[in-house]
Amino acid sequence: VDNIIKIKREVLNKANISFINEIAKDLTIKSDSNILRLTLQNMLDNSIQYCNQELAQRYIKVYSVAQNHHVKLFIEDNGMGIEESQVDKIFNIFHRGTEKSQGSGLGLYIAKVAMSKLKGSINLLDHRKKHTVFELSIPMAAALNSAFDKASKKGSVNGLQSKKAYR
C-alpha cells in the first residue's frame, strides 16, 4: 500500500485528499503482488475520481482484519457515495458511476476480475451519500499456498505464476 501511495501522492495532494493507512505494518500477504497492486490502484483511483469536491476534509482510509483464513482489506472514503440505482452495476465492464465521470468504466471491473484471480472477492459494504466502504477478501497464505502447490505441477493457478509477498 505504501508503494502505491508514493505513486499517488501528487494526485492526492492536488485533490486535497488525506490518506490514512491503518494496515498493520507487519502484515504480509502472500499473493501475486502484481494482481494485488493492480486491484489496490484501481480502488484508490476510483476513490480519488469520486471524491466529494464540496468537502473541505476529504479522506481515503485503508485498514485490515485477519478473519477466517482471509485477510480483509477495507477501502473507505468520504466521497460522493454510490446511488442506490447504481449499486448492482458498479462492477460491470464500462460502467461509469455518473455522467460526470471521466474514467473508462473499467476500474471496479478490473478490480473484481483481479480479485477472482486471487481466489478472493470484492464487496461494497456501505454506499451512503458521502461515504463508501469496499471490502477486499484475500485468502491467507495457507489457503493460497495449497492452491499454488497443487498447480505447481501444472505450472500455474488461473494464470498466476508467482508467490510474491505484497506489503
Side-chain angles (χ1 to χ4, degrees):
V1 173
D2 290 334
N3 291 336
I4 296 168
I5 293 309
K6 285 177 187 175
I7 294 167
K8 301 287 181 195
R9 180 60 57 199
E10 186 177 330
V11 175
L12 288 165
N13 289 341
K14 187 177 179 181
N16 195 28
I17 300 172
S18 297
F19 183 79
I20 305 159
N21 183 355
E22 294 184 352
I23 295 176
K25 294 294 180 198
D26 61 345
L27 176 67
T28 298
I29 301 170
K30 290 190 177 186
S31 187
D32 186 295
S33 61
N34 292 324
I35 292 177
L36 191 52
R37 185 180 312 109
L38 176 69
T39 302
L40 290 170
Q41 284 176 333
N42 277 290
M43 297 303 296
L44 292 176
D45 286 345
N46 196 68
S47 288
I48 293 166
Q49 181 175 348
Y50 291 103
C51 73
N52 188 336
Q53 297 294 332
E54 297 173 6
L55 294 177
Q57 300 290 322
R58 299 177 205 129
Y59 73 88
I60 298 171
K61 180 165 64 170
V62 180
Y63 51 100
S64 62
V65 173
Q67 187 179 65
N68 299 327
H69 304 293
H70 284 76
V71 172
K72 295 189 181 225
L73 298 178
F74 299 90
I75 296 105
E76 174 183 326
D77 65 55
N78 65 342
M80 298 185 327
I82 299 171
E83 295 291 329
E84 191 66 39
S85 63
Q86 301 297 309
V87 170
D88 292 340
K89 304 171 191 172
I90 60 171
F91 295 111
N92 292 350
I93 191 168
F94 304 125
H95 179 74
R96 295 173 8 176
T98 69
E99 291 177 13
K100 297 176 185 177
S101 174
Q102 296 181 12
S104 62
L106 292 173
L108 291 178
Y109 172 79
I110 289 171
K112 183 177 180 177
V113 170
M115 288 305 298
S116 71
K117 293 286 185 187
L118 297 177
K119 304 281 189 217
S121 63
I122 181 171
N123 295 296
L124 174 63
L125 298 183
D126 191 354
H127 59 90
R128 292 177 276 152
K129 190 171 181 97
K130 299 182 182 175
H131 186 82
T132 305
V133 180
F134 283 94
E135 173 195 71
L136 306 177
S137 182
I138 305 157
M140 285 186 171
L144 192 59
N145 283 340
S146 65
F148 273 106
D149 292 342
K150 288 177 187 175
S152 64
K153 296 172 186 129
K154 297 177 184 176
S156 69
V157 174
N158 289 337
L160 303 182
Q161 298 291 329
S162 64
K163 286 198 274 187
K164 296 178 186 173
Y166 185 74
R167 184 174 293 206

